[in-house]
């Protein structure tokens, strides 16, 4: 695997590759590292379509609204590189903050995201999605992929990136990859290692709640389903529930009737022992 550490090196490599292989497609999966099978699944999916697969590892400071979270974010880089080698990733882009933001981190967001960035995660993490869009835009300008691979795990992020690509008139296609889970259903996340053993045992209940919603869809309205999921989650007093919402996948706004939406998703986030757990399930 080729490791490129600066934007200039990465852009130059991509340009040369394109010139030599004009018909080949490039797939890209941006990550913040502390890789797990969920991340690797994005790369495997990319390999099934693309001739060249690029991963990036960059812990983006502008999307952290909690400095402690940024500081504590795991950075096991040697292990990450070993994992990327096991899936035959072609290129790792591994830049420093000063290389991604040579003129500082201030940014005037040119995109019109409307309520996409203020609902759900946006309401709990002000500025998070601006920072996320800032880094994804910068990475796309450097890597210029044909396909961008992102996990359904971060559902809201994905809808916002899709909107951003449309507003950029980008030819890059976003590929939504399914959530990889531990055997007990907990969605894999780099933050799971921070769960204390007792909390780790409780954590799969968030997935059980997503399954409950799926089972109830045939017999309950969105409002009833959401309430039943909330009732289920509040039975575990250690859960601090940030939100549970059943929304349209494109507008991210709550729906009143299942027929209001071609594709609806239940999104939930809760806090457990200082760790935020996100999960969602498409309710087609
Ligand atoms: P992160 O490193 O957390 O920024 O995640 C990088 C990419 O991996 C994002 O597109 C995530 O949605 C995706 N991802 C994270 N966890 C999972 C998972 N459990 N299954 C599938 N994709 C995931």
């Amino acid at each position: 695997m080729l490791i490129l550490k600066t934007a200039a090196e990465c852009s130059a490599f991509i340009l040369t590759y394109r010139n030599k292989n004009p018909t080949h497609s490039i797939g890209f999966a941006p990550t913040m590292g502390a890789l797990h099978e969920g991340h690797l699944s994005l790369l495997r999916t990319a390999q099934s379509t693309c001739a060249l697969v690029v991963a990036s590892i960059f812990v983006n400071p502008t999307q952290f609204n909690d400095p402690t979270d940024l500081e504590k974010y795991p950075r096991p880089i040697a292990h990450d590189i070993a994992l990327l080698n096991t899936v035959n990733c072609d290129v790792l882009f591994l830049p420093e903050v000063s290389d991604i933001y040579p003129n500082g981190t201030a940014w005037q967001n040119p995109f019109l995201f409307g309520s996409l960035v203020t609902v759900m995660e946006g309401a709990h993490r002000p500025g998070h999605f601006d920072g996320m869009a800032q880094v994804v835009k910068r990475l796309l300008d450097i890597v210029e992929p044909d396909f961008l691979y992102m996990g359904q795990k971060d559902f809201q992020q994905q809808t916002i990136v899709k909107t951003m690509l449309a507003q950029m008139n980008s030819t890059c296609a976003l590929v939504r990859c399914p959530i990889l889970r531990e055997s007990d259903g907990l969605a894999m996340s780099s933050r799971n290692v921070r769960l204390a053993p007792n909390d780790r045992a409780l954590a799969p209940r968030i997935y059980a709640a997503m399954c409950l919603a799926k089972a109830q869809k045939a017999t309950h309205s969105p409002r009833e389903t959401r309430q039943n999921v909330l009732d289920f989650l509040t039975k575990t007093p250690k859960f601090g529930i940030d939100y549970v919402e059943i929304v349209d996948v494109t507008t991210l706004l709550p729906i009143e009737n299942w027929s209001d939406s071609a594709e609806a998703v239940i999104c939930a986030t809760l806090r457990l022992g200082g760790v935020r757990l996100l999960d969602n399930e498409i309710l087609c």
Side-chain angles (χ1 to χ4, degrees):
M1 180 174 65
L2 187 62
I3 301 180
L4 302 172
K5 292 196 170 173
T6 68
E9 270 181 290
C10 191
S11 292
F13 171 81
I14 297 288
L15 187 66
T16 308
Y17 183 86
R18 289 264 187 223
N19 286 338
K20 277 193 193 153
N21 309 281
T23 60
H24 287 189
S25 56
I26 299 178
F28 176 45
T31 82
M32 296 203 300
L35 302 179
H36 50 66
E37 274 298 317
H39 296 112
L40 300 185
S41 73
L42 306 183
L43 299 170
R44 290 194 183 99
T45 307
Q47 275 162 343
S48 65
T49 307
C50 300
L52 184 83
V53 173
V54 181
S56 64
I57 296 179
F58 179 66
V59 182
N60 175 35
T62 70
Q63 72 189 69
F64 283 80
N65 45 340
D66 174 356
T68 316
D69 194 23
L70 172 61
E71 194 186 308
K72 283 192 185 165
Y73 204 85
R75 291 167 171 86
I77 191 63
H79 186 245
D80 285 349
I81 290 172
L83 281 180
L84 291 173
N85 277 317
T86 66
V87 294
N88 299 319
C89 179
D90 298 301
V91 178
L92 169 61
F93 179 40
L94 184 63
E96 297 287 340
V97 173
S98 57
D99 197 56
I100 291 293
Y101 302 119
N103 303 316
T105 54
W107 189 58
Q108 194 60 45
N109 183 351
F111 300 106
L112 299 172
F113 292 138
S115 60
L116 295 180
V117 294
T118 56
V119 298
M120 299 194 292
E121 280 300 285
H124 291 271
R125 301 184 67 187
H128 165 67
F129 288 119
D130 279 340
M132 181 281 294
Q134 177 185 21
V135 77
V136 173
K137 169 78 171 71
R138 175 84 173 116
L139 292 170
L140 288 175
D141 287 345
I142 296 166
V143 180
E144 294 191 74
D146 301 292
F147 296 93
L148 176 64
Y149 294 85
M150 300 190 98
Q152 180 193 318
K153 162 98 190 318
D154 299 280
F155 200 91
Q156 190 168 359
Q157 164 174 294
Q158 204 183 71
T159 299
I160 293 165
V161 170
K162 201 168 178 182
T163 303
M164 187 175 89
L165 289 170
Q167 291 182 15
M168 288 163 64
N169 291 319
S170 173
T171 54
C172 174
L174 180 62
V175 181
R176 183 209 286 167
C177 300
I179 302 176
L180 252 80
R181 299 180 178 280
E182 304 291 352
S183 56
D184 58 11
L186 177 65
M188 290 181 181
S189 163
S190 309
R191 291 183 173 90
N192 289 352
V193 292
R194 285 167 47 196
L195 288 167
N198 288 351
D199 291 339
R200 175 64 188 80
L202 297 175
R205 291 185 192 175
I206 188 168
Y207 178 56
M210 300 298 96
C211 294
L212 176 69
K214 205 158 187 177
Q216 294 217 335
K217 197 206 152 184
T219 47
H220 294 73
S221 69
R223 189 187 294 261
E224 290 163 344
T225 304
R226 174 177 178 271
Q227 190 56 53
N228 291 339
V229 166
L230 277 168
D231 292 346
F232 173 83
L233 288 171
T234 46
K235 281 188 201 144
T236 303
K238 276 197 95 176
F239 288 166
I241 301 168
D242 278 353
Y243 60 86
V244 173
E245 298 290 354
I246 295 177
V247 299
D248 175 77
V249 298
T250 306
T251 65
L252 301 180
L253 295 175
I255 56 167
E256 280 296 319
N257 303 292
W258 297 114
S259 57
D260 291 347
S261 174
E263 202 179 17
V265 60
I266 180 163
C267 297
T269 294
L270 52 84
R271 285 164 283 109
L272 179 58
V275 181
R276 288 183 87 238
L277 301 176
L278 279 75
D279 208 340
N280 66 75
E281 188 76 25
I282 307 267
L283 307 170
C284 290

